[in-house]
Amino acid sequence: MARPRIDLHTHSTASDGTDTPSQLVAVAAAAGLDVVAITDHDTTAGWAPAAAALPPGMQLVRGAEFSCVSPTGRGDRDVAVHLLGYQFDPVHPAIVAEQKRLRLERVDRLRRMIGKMAADGYPVDIDAVFRLLPEGASAGRPHLARALVAAGVVGSVTEAFAELLHNGSPYYVPKADTPVRTAIDMVRAAGGVTVFAHPLARKRGRVVEPSVIAELAAAGLAGVEVDHPDHAPEDRELLRALAADTGLVATGSSDYHGANKTTPIAAETTSPDAFEELLAPVTGVETLTG
Ligand code: AMP
Ligand code: FE
Ligand code: FE
Ligand code: ZN
């Protein structure tokens, strides 16, 4: 068999992607992937429909991207970071409670962003957006971006972020995210493993110092996303060396969001050896094969 192709970070309509979970696994198969992880923000609602639609031979890794907050390592204010959790028990009470809290927090926070925009005259019918969210799905800024596109305020989701929704915008409202060490502990307690998602995605705003990633490795973090569309070549090399030094597994992923981003699925991949090493400690749930 040819070397398997593995993409460990994708989004569906259970959060801010535009493919349904069943479309997502079909798109993964059509792109030639052998393994795909579904990693919606703060929810496992896409797991069952993705599993039910799994094409023959496709291996499904069940995961989520946890909204977290971390010290930067510079003594300035904490920064929002994303943590990928894989193959954890989805009914673990702490995870169920924290994901539910964050989904409610996300709605509240988008309403506050919309309130600020409405005060400046932006016409956004966010209730229409919320009505379209599937049960258990996470709302996010990309939903607001699409509402802005629909209202003719901007031409694209990318433009909506660049002009109105980026982290430094006057309309930006932060969420109350989970301390990253708490999230690592929670996922491990539920039998899963964690990977620091796109830690050096500098175009999104401030990022952590490499020393923070090394400290998290000592605190139970299993891997770090090295090859990611938002990582510059020199940052990938820095992270690859850091992974080798600290025993973290180096992963690569597309962070596919369907039509909400331009990156195609399978644009970045994880090596089979790294994949095997990453999932070796899992005791939560098994991967599924169609
Ligand atoms: P939120 O989870 O509501 O804070 O929104 C963050 C999400 O917005 C990320 O997970 C990405 O999916 C998306 N995002 C962030 N920056 C951009 C950008 N420049 N263009 C398009 N989507 C973005
Ligand atoms: Fe996203
Ligand atoms: Fe992310
Ligand atoms: Zn993501």
Short mmCIF file of all heavy atoms in Angstrom, two decimals, residues 58-111:
data_model
loop_
_atom_site.label_atom_id
_atom_site.label_comp_id
_atom_site.label_asym_id
_atom_site.label_seq_id
_atom_site.Cartn_x
_atom_site.Cartn_y
_atom_site.Cartn_z
N MET A 58 -11.57 4.65 4.65
CA MET A 58 -11.17 5.90 5.30
C MET A 58 -11.15 5.73 6.81
O MET A 58 -12.07 5.18 7.39
CB MET A 58 -12.17 7.01 4.90
CG MET A 58 -12.03 8.32 5.66
SD MET A 58 -10.53 9.23 5.26
CE MET A 58 -10.88 9.65 3.56
N GLN A 59 -10.07 6.20 7.44
CA GLN A 59 -9.95 6.15 8.90
C GLN A 59 -10.30 7.51 9.48
O GLN A 59 -9.78 8.53 9.04
CB GLN A 59 -8.51 5.74 9.27
CG GLN A 59 -8.34 5.41 10.75
CD GLN A 59 -6.93 4.93 11.07
OE1 GLN A 59 -6.11 4.71 10.16
NE2 GLN A 59 -6.63 4.78 12.35
N LEU A 60 -11.20 7.52 10.45
CA LEU A 60 -11.66 8.76 11.08
C LEU A 60 -11.06 8.90 12.47
O LEU A 60 -11.21 8.02 13.31
CB LEU A 60 -13.19 8.77 11.18
CG LEU A 60 -13.80 10.02 11.84
CD1 LEU A 60 -13.61 11.26 10.97
CD2 LEU A 60 -15.30 9.81 12.13
N VAL A 61 -10.39 10.03 12.67
CA VAL A 61 -9.89 10.39 14.00
C VAL A 61 -10.87 11.41 14.56
O VAL A 61 -11.17 12.41 13.91
CB VAL A 61 -8.48 11.02 13.91
CG1 VAL A 61 -8.00 11.49 15.27
CG2 VAL A 61 -7.51 10.01 13.30
N ARG A 62 -11.38 11.12 15.75
CA ARG A 62 -12.37 12.03 16.33
C ARG A 62 -11.68 13.00 17.28
O ARG A 62 -10.97 12.58 18.20
CB ARG A 62 -13.46 11.21 17.03
CG ARG A 62 -14.35 10.49 16.00
CD ARG A 62 -15.28 9.49 16.62
NE ARG A 62 -14.56 8.30 17.06
CZ ARG A 62 -15.14 7.29 17.70
NH1 ARG A 62 -16.43 7.32 17.98
NH2 ARG A 62 -14.44 6.24 18.06
N GLY A 63 -11.87 14.28 17.01
CA GLY A 63 -11.17 15.28 17.80
C GLY A 63 -11.99 16.55 17.95
O GLY A 63 -13.15 16.63 17.54
N ALA A 64 -11.37 17.53 18.57
CA ALA A 64 -11.98 18.85 18.72
C ALA A 64 -10.86 19.86 18.89
O ALA A 64 -9.75 19.51 19.30
CB ALA A 64 -12.92 18.90 19.92
N GLU A 65 -11.15 21.11 18.55
CA GLU A 65 -10.19 22.20 18.78
C GLU A 65 -10.73 23.00 19.96
O GLU A 65 -11.81 23.59 19.88
CB GLU A 65 -10.05 23.06 17.52
CG GLU A 65 -8.91 24.07 17.60
CD GLU A 65 -8.61 24.74 16.26
OE1 GLU A 65 -9.43 24.66 15.33
OE2 GLU A 65 -7.54 25.38 16.16
N PHE A 66 -9.97 23.00 21.05
CA PHE A 66 -10.40 23.64 22.30
C PHE A 66 -9.92 25.09 22.33
O PHE A 66 -8.74 25.37 22.10
CB PHE A 66 -9.83 22.88 23.50
CG PHE A 66 -10.41 21.50 23.68
CD1 PHE A 66 -9.94 20.43 22.93
CD2 PHE A 66 -11.44 21.27 24.57
CE1 PHE A 66 -10.48 19.16 23.07
CE2 PHE A 66 -12.00 20.00 24.73
CZ PHE A 66 -11.52 18.94 23.98
N SER A 67 -10.84 26.00 22.64
CA SER A 67 -10.50 27.43 22.74
C SER A 67 -9.85 27.67 24.11
O SER A 67 -10.50 27.51 25.14
CB SER A 67 -11.76 28.28 22.65
OG SER A 67 -12.42 28.06 21.42
N CYS A 68 -8.58 28.05 24.08
CA CYS A 68 -7.82 28.16 25.33
C CYS A 68 -7.15 29.52 25.46
O CYS A 68 -7.12 30.31 24.52
CB CYS A 68 -6.75 27.07 25.39
SG CYS A 68 -7.43 25.40 25.41
N VAL A 69 -6.61 29.74 26.64
CA VAL A 69 -5.86 30.96 26.91
C VAL A 69 -4.56 30.55 27.60
O VAL A 69 -4.52 29.56 28.34
CB VAL A 69 -6.72 31.93 27.77
CG1 VAL A 69 -7.08 31.32 29.10
CG2 VAL A 69 -6.07 33.27 27.92
N SER A 70 -3.47 31.28 27.26
CA SER A 70 -2.16 30.89 27.77
C SER A 70 -1.33 32.12 28.09
O SER A 70 -1.44 33.14 27.41
CB SER A 70 -1.42 30.07 26.70
OG SER A 70 -0.08 29.82 27.07
N PRO A 71 -0.45 32.01 29.09
CA PRO A 71 0.59 33.04 29.23
C PRO A 71 1.45 33.06 27.96
O PRO A 71 1.59 32.04 27.29
CB PRO A 71 1.42 32.56 30.43
CG PRO A 71 0.57 31.55 31.13
CD PRO A 71 -0.32 30.94 30.09
N THR A 72 2.02 34.23 27.64
CA THR A 72 2.85 34.32 26.43
C THR A 72 4.30 33.93 26.69
O THR A 72 5.05 33.69 25.75
CB THR A 72 2.87 35.77 25.89
OG1 THR A 72 3.50 36.59 26.89
CG2 THR A 72 1.47 36.27 25.58
N GLY A 73 4.71 33.95 27.97
CA GLY A 73 6.12 33.74 28.29
C GLY A 73 6.91 35.05 28.32
O GLY A 73 8.12 35.05 28.53
N ARG A 74 6.20 36.17 28.09
CA ARG A 74 6.87 37.48 28.10
C ARG A 74 6.39 38.37 29.24
O ARG A 74 6.86 39.50 29.38
CB ARG A 74 6.62 38.22 26.77
CG ARG A 74 7.26 37.57 25.56
CD ARG A 74 7.00 38.40 24.30
NE ARG A 74 5.60 38.46 23.98
CZ ARG A 74 4.94 37.56 23.24
NH1 ARG A 74 5.58 36.53 22.74
NH2 ARG A 74 3.66 37.69 23.01
N GLY A 75 5.41 37.89 30.00
CA GLY A 75 4.89 38.68 31.11
C GLY A 75 3.83 39.70 30.70
O GLY A 75 3.34 40.45 31.54
N ASP A 76 3.49 39.75 29.42
CA ASP A 76 2.37 40.62 29.00
C ASP A 76 1.06 39.84 29.17
O ASP A 76 1.05 38.73 29.71
CB ASP A 76 2.56 41.12 27.56
CG ASP A 76 2.80 40.00 26.56
OD1 ASP A 76 3.02 38.86 26.98
OD2 ASP A 76 2.75 40.27 25.35
N ARG A 77 -0.05 40.40 28.74
CA ARG A 77 -1.33 39.73 29.03
C ARG A 77 -1.45 38.42 28.25
O ARG A 77 -0.83 38.25 27.20
CB ARG A 77 -2.51 40.66 28.76
CG ARG A 77 -2.81 40.94 27.32
CD ARG A 77 -3.99 41.91 27.17
NE ARG A 77 -4.42 41.96 25.78
CZ ARG A 77 -3.74 42.55 24.81
NH1 ARG A 77 -2.59 43.15 25.07
NH2 ARG A 77 -4.19 42.53 23.57
N ASP A 78 -2.26 37.52 28.81
CA ASP A 78 -2.44 36.20 28.22
C ASP A 78 -2.99 36.30 26.80
O ASP A 78 -3.60 37.30 26.42
CB ASP A 78 -3.39 35.35 29.07
CG ASP A 78 -2.77 34.91 30.39
OD1 ASP A 78 -1.59 35.24 30.63
OD2 ASP A 78 -3.46 34.24 31.18
N VAL A 79 -2.80 35.24 26.04
CA VAL A 79 -3.19 35.24 24.64
C VAL A 79 -4.08 34.02 24.35
O VAL A 79 -3.93 32.97 24.99
CB VAL A 79 -1.91 35.24 23.75
CG1 VAL A 79 -1.12 33.95 23.88
CG2 VAL A 79 -2.23 35.51 22.30
N ALA A 80 -5.02 34.17 23.41
CA ALA A 80 -5.89 33.06 23.01
C ALA A 80 -5.06 32.06 22.20
O ALA A 80 -4.31 32.45 21.29
CB ALA A 80 -7.06 33.57 22.18
N VAL A 81 -5.16 30.78 22.53
CA VAL A 81 -4.48 29.72 21.78
C VAL A 81 -5.47 28.59 21.52
O VAL A 81 -6.51 28.50 22.19
CB VAL A 81 -3.24 29.17 22.53
CG1 VAL A 81 -2.20 30.26 22.74
CG2 VAL A 81 -3.64 28.53 23.86
N HIS A 82 -5.15 27.74 20.56
CA HIS A 82 -6.03 26.61 20.23
C HIS A 82 -5.31 25.30 20.53
O HIS A 82 -4.14 25.14 20.20
CB HIS A 82 -6.43 26.67 18.75
CG HIS A 82 -7.41 27.76 18.45
ND1 HIS A 82 -7.78 28.12 17.17
CD2 HIS A 82 -8.12 28.57 19.28
CE1 HIS A 82 -8.67 29.10 17.23
NE2 HIS A 82 -8.88 29.40 18.50
N LEU A 83 -6.04 24.39 21.14
CA LEU A 83 -5.49 23.08 21.51
C LEU A 83 -6.33 22.00 20.83
O LEU A 83 -7.55 21.95 21.01
CB LEU A 83 -5.56 22.91 23.03
CG LEU A 83 -4.94 21.63 23.58
CD1 LEU A 83 -3.41 21.74 23.60
CD2 LEU A 83 -5.47 21.34 24.98
N LEU A 84 -5.67 21.14 20.05
CA LEU A 84 -6.38 20.02 19.43
C LEU A 84 -6.38 18.86 20.40
O LEU A 84 -5.33 18.50 20.95
CB LEU A 84 -5.69 19.63 18.12
CG LEU A 84 -5.80 20.68 17.02
CD1 LEU A 84 -4.71 20.48 15.97
CD2 LEU A 84 -7.18 20.66 16.38
N GLY A 85 -7.55 18.27 20.64
CA GLY A 85 -7.66 17.06 21.46
C GLY A 85 -8.17 15.95 20.58
O GLY A 85 -9.07 16.16 19.75
N TYR A 86 -7.56 14.76 20.69
CA TYR A 86 -7.94 13.63 19.85
C TYR A 86 -8.36 12.43 20.67
O TYR A 86 -7.71 12.10 21.68
CB TYR A 86 -6.75 13.20 18.97
CG TYR A 86 -6.27 14.25 18.00
CD1 TYR A 86 -5.05 14.88 18.18
CD2 TYR A 86 -7.04 14.60 16.89
CE1 TYR A 86 -4.59 15.83 17.28
CE2 TYR A 86 -6.59 15.56 15.98
CZ TYR A 86 -5.37 16.16 16.18
OH TYR A 86 -4.92 17.11 15.29
N GLN A 87 -9.41 11.74 20.23
CA GLN A 87 -9.78 10.40 20.70
C GLN A 87 -10.06 10.35 22.19
O GLN A 87 -9.82 9.33 22.83
CB GLN A 87 -8.66 9.41 20.31
CG GLN A 87 -8.45 9.31 18.80
CD GLN A 87 -9.62 8.67 18.08
OE1 GLN A 87 -10.20 9.25 17.18
NE2 GLN A 87 -10.00 7.49 18.49
N PHE A 88 -10.57 11.48 22.72
CA PHE A 88 -10.97 11.51 24.13
C PHE A 88 -12.39 10.98 24.26
O PHE A 88 -13.17 10.98 23.28
CB PHE A 88 -10.87 12.94 24.68
CG PHE A 88 -11.63 13.96 23.87
CD1 PHE A 88 -12.98 14.21 24.09
CD2 PHE A 88 -10.99 14.66 22.83
CE1 PHE A 88 -13.67 15.12 23.32
CE2 PHE A 88 -11.69 15.57 22.06
CZ PHE A 88 -13.03 15.80 22.29
N ASP A 89 -12.75 10.56 25.46
CA ASP A 89 -14.10 10.10 25.74
C ASP A 89 -15.05 11.30 25.67
O ASP A 89 -14.92 12.23 26.47
CB ASP A 89 -14.12 9.47 27.14
CG ASP A 89 -15.51 9.07 27.60
OD1 ASP A 89 -16.48 9.26 26.82
OD2 ASP A 89 -15.62 8.57 28.72
N PRO A 90 -15.99 11.30 24.72
CA PRO A 90 -16.81 12.50 24.51
C PRO A 90 -17.85 12.74 25.60
O PRO A 90 -18.47 13.80 25.61
CB PRO A 90 -17.49 12.23 23.16
CG PRO A 90 -17.57 10.74 23.09
CD PRO A 90 -16.34 10.22 23.79
N VAL A 91 -18.06 11.75 26.49
CA VAL A 91 -19.02 11.98 27.57
C VAL A 91 -18.32 12.25 28.90
O VAL A 91 -18.97 12.28 29.95
CB VAL A 91 -20.06 10.83 27.70
CG1 VAL A 91 -20.90 10.73 26.44
CG2 VAL A 91 -19.41 9.50 28.03
N HIS A 92 -17.01 12.45 28.86
CA HIS A 92 -16.29 12.83 30.08
C HIS A 92 -16.93 14.12 30.63
O HIS A 92 -17.00 15.12 29.91
CB HIS A 92 -14.82 13.05 29.76
CG HIS A 92 -13.97 13.22 30.98
ND1 HIS A 92 -13.76 14.45 31.57
CD2 HIS A 92 -13.29 12.32 31.73
CE1 HIS A 92 -12.99 14.29 32.63
NE2 HIS A 92 -12.69 13.03 32.74
N PRO A 93 -17.41 14.09 31.90
CA PRO A 93 -18.22 15.22 32.39
C PRO A 93 -17.54 16.59 32.29
O PRO A 93 -18.19 17.57 31.94
CB PRO A 93 -18.50 14.84 33.85
CG PRO A 93 -18.36 13.35 33.89
CD PRO A 93 -17.33 12.99 32.87
N ALA A 94 -16.25 16.66 32.58
CA ALA A 94 -15.58 17.97 32.54
C ALA A 94 -15.54 18.52 31.12
O ALA A 94 -15.71 19.73 30.90
CB ALA A 94 -14.15 17.84 33.10
N ILE A 95 -15.33 17.64 30.14
CA ILE A 95 -15.28 18.09 28.75
C ILE A 95 -16.67 18.51 28.28
O ILE A 95 -16.85 19.56 27.66
CB ILE A 95 -14.69 16.99 27.83
CG1 ILE A 95 -13.20 16.82 28.16
CG2 ILE A 95 -14.90 17.33 26.35
CD1 ILE A 95 -12.44 15.91 27.24
N VAL A 96 -17.67 17.70 28.61
CA VAL A 96 -19.05 18.04 28.23
C VAL A 96 -19.41 19.42 28.79
O VAL A 96 -19.93 20.29 28.07
CB VAL A 96 -20.04 16.96 28.74
CG1 VAL A 96 -21.48 17.41 28.56
CG2 VAL A 96 -19.79 15.64 28.02
N ALA A 97 -19.11 19.64 30.06
CA ALA A 97 -19.49 20.90 30.71
C ALA A 97 -18.73 22.08 30.12
O ALA A 97 -19.30 23.14 29.85
CB ALA A 97 -19.24 20.80 32.22
N GLU A 98 -17.43 21.91 29.91
CA GLU A 98 -16.62 23.03 29.42
C GLU A 98 -16.95 23.37 27.96
O GLU A 98 -17.00 24.54 27.58
CB GLU A 98 -15.13 22.71 29.59
CG GLU A 98 -14.17 23.86 29.27
CD GLU A 98 -14.36 25.10 30.13
OE1 GLU A 98 -15.24 25.14 31.00
OE2 GLU A 98 -13.59 26.07 29.91
N GLN A 99 -17.20 22.35 27.15
CA GLN A 99 -17.57 22.63 25.76
C GLN A 99 -18.93 23.32 25.69
O GLN A 99 -19.13 24.23 24.89
CB GLN A 99 -17.56 21.34 24.92
CG GLN A 99 -16.14 20.82 24.69
CD GLN A 99 -16.06 19.78 23.59
OE1 GLN A 99 -16.98 19.01 23.38
NE2 GLN A 99 -14.94 19.76 22.89
N LYS A 100 -19.85 22.90 26.55
CA LYS A 100 -21.17 23.54 26.56
C LYS A 100 -21.04 25.01 27.00
O LYS A 100 -21.64 25.91 26.39
CB LYS A 100 -22.11 22.78 27.51
CG LYS A 100 -23.51 23.32 27.50
CD LYS A 100 -24.46 22.44 28.29
CE LYS A 100 -25.86 23.03 28.23
NZ LYS A 100 -26.75 22.46 29.23
N ARG A 101 -20.24 25.24 28.03
CA ARG A 101 -20.03 26.61 28.50
C ARG A 101 -19.46 27.47 27.36
O ARG A 101 -19.91 28.58 27.11
CB ARG A 101 -19.06 26.63 29.69
CG ARG A 101 -18.84 28.03 30.28
CD ARG A 101 -17.70 28.09 31.28
NE ARG A 101 -16.38 27.94 30.68
CZ ARG A 101 -15.73 28.90 30.02
NH1 ARG A 101 -16.26 30.10 29.87
NH2 ARG A 101 -14.53 28.67 29.50
N LEU A 102 -18.48 26.92 26.64
CA LEU A 102 -17.84 27.70 25.58
C LEU A 102 -18.78 27.96 24.41
O LEU A 102 -18.74 29.03 23.81
CB LEU A 102 -16.56 27.01 25.11
CG LEU A 102 -15.34 27.59 25.82
CD1 LEU A 102 -14.15 26.66 25.73
CD2 LEU A 102 -14.97 28.96 25.25
N ARG A 103 -19.64 27.01 24.09
CA ARG A 103 -20.59 27.25 22.99
C ARG A 103 -21.55 28.38 23.35
O ARG A 103 -21.87 29.22 22.50
CB ARG A 103 -21.34 25.96 22.63
CG ARG A 103 -20.44 24.93 21.93
CD ARG A 103 -21.24 23.84 21.26
NE ARG A 103 -22.06 23.07 22.17
CZ ARG A 103 -21.65 22.00 22.86
NH1 ARG A 103 -20.41 21.59 22.76
NH2 ARG A 103 -22.49 21.36 23.65
N LEU A 104 -22.01 28.39 24.62
CA LEU A 104 -22.89 29.49 25.05
C LEU A 104 -22.12 30.81 25.06
O LEU A 104 -22.62 31.85 24.63
CB LEU A 104 -23.46 29.18 26.44
CG LEU A 104 -24.44 28.00 26.49
CD1 LEU A 104 -24.77 27.62 27.92
CD2 LEU A 104 -25.72 28.34 25.71
N GLU A 105 -20.89 30.75 25.56
CA GLU A 105 -20.01 31.92 25.59
C GLU A 105 -19.80 32.48 24.17
O GLU A 105 -19.80 33.69 23.95
CB GLU A 105 -18.68 31.49 26.21
CG GLU A 105 -17.54 32.48 26.13
CD GLU A 105 -17.66 33.62 27.12
OE1 GLU A 105 -18.49 33.54 28.04
OE2 GLU A 105 -16.93 34.60 26.95
N ARG A 106 -19.66 31.60 23.20
CA ARG A 106 -19.46 32.01 21.80
C ARG A 106 -20.67 32.79 21.26
O ARG A 106 -20.50 33.79 20.57
CB ARG A 106 -19.21 30.78 20.92
CG ARG A 106 -17.81 30.22 21.05
CD ARG A 106 -17.69 28.89 20.30
NE ARG A 106 -16.29 28.57 20.07
CZ ARG A 106 -15.57 29.07 19.09
NH1 ARG A 106 -16.10 29.90 18.21
NH2 ARG A 106 -14.29 28.76 18.97
N VAL A 107 -21.88 32.31 21.59
CA VAL A 107 -23.08 33.01 21.13
C VAL A 107 -23.17 34.38 21.77
O VAL A 107 -23.39 35.40 21.11
CB VAL A 107 -24.35 32.17 21.45
CG1 VAL A 107 -25.61 32.98 21.20
CG2 VAL A 107 -24.36 30.89 20.61
N ASP A 108 -22.96 34.41 23.08
CA ASP A 108 -23.02 35.67 23.83
C ASP A 108 -22.00 36.67 23.28
O ASP A 108 -22.30 37.85 23.07
CB ASP A 108 -22.76 35.36 25.30
CG ASP A 108 -22.84 36.60 26.16
OD1 ASP A 108 -23.90 37.26 26.11
OD2 ASP A 108 -21.86 36.93 26.85
N ARG A 109 -20.82 36.19 23.02
CA ARG A 109 -19.74 37.05 22.54
C ARG A 109 -20.02 37.56 21.13
O ARG A 109 -19.78 38.75 20.84
CB ARG A 109 -18.46 36.22 22.63
CG ARG A 109 -17.20 36.73 22.04
CD ARG A 109 -17.13 36.48 20.55
NE ARG A 109 -15.77 36.58 20.11
CZ ARG A 109 -15.16 35.66 19.40
NH1 ARG A 109 -15.80 34.56 19.04
NH2 ARG A 109 -13.92 35.83 19.03
N LEU A 110 -20.58 36.72 20.25
CA LEU A 110 -20.93 37.20 18.91
C LEU A 110 -22.04 38.25 19.00
O LEU A 110 -22.03 39.25 18.27
CB LEU A 110 -21.40 36.06 18.02
CG LEU A 110 -20.33 35.24 17.30
CD1 LEU A 110 -20.98 34.35 16.24
CD2 LEU A 110 -19.26 36.11 16.65
N ARG A 111 -23.00 38.04 19.90
CA ARG A 111 -24.07 39.04 20.07
C ARG A 111 -23.48 40.39 20.52
O ARG A 111 -23.93 41.45 20.08
CB ARG A 111 -25.10 38.57 21.10
CG ARG A 111 -25.98 37.46 20.59
CD ARG A 111 -27.23 37.29 21.45
NE ARG A 111 -27.96 36.08 21.10
CZ ARG A 111 -28.73 35.93 20.03
NH1 ARG A 111 -28.90 36.95 19.20
NH2 ARG A 111 -29.32 34.79 19.77
#
